[in-house]
Amino acid sequence: MVGHDDIGIVTNITSIISKENGITLRSIGIESNDGLFAGTLTVMLSDTGRWKL
């Protein structure tokens, strides 16, 4: 994902994911440069039929 770098962006992203049932955040990598962030998330889904992939 790519977005506008902001204080607390990682906390906001992980908070949203943690509130979802059936999703486990396995890893997160974020880099910031010139006001933008780029990151990758690895998640585990308990039921892939529930999510549009």
Side-chain angles (χ1 to χ4, degrees), residues 4-49:
H4 186 274
D5 192 16
D6 196 10
I7 294 174
I9 191 69
V10 173
T11 301
N12 291 342
I13 292 168
T14 56
S15 176
I16 291 167
I17 293 171
S18 70
K19 291 177 184 175
E20 292 293 329
N21 290 326
I23 298 179
T24 303
L25 181 61
R26 298 294 292 189
S27 69
I28 184 169
I30 303 283
E31 293 186 18
S32 177
N33 190 20
D34 293 330
L36 292 176
F37 77 89
T40 58
L41 300 171
T42 303
V43 296
M44 289 183 62
L45 306 176
S46 62
D47 179 7
T48 58

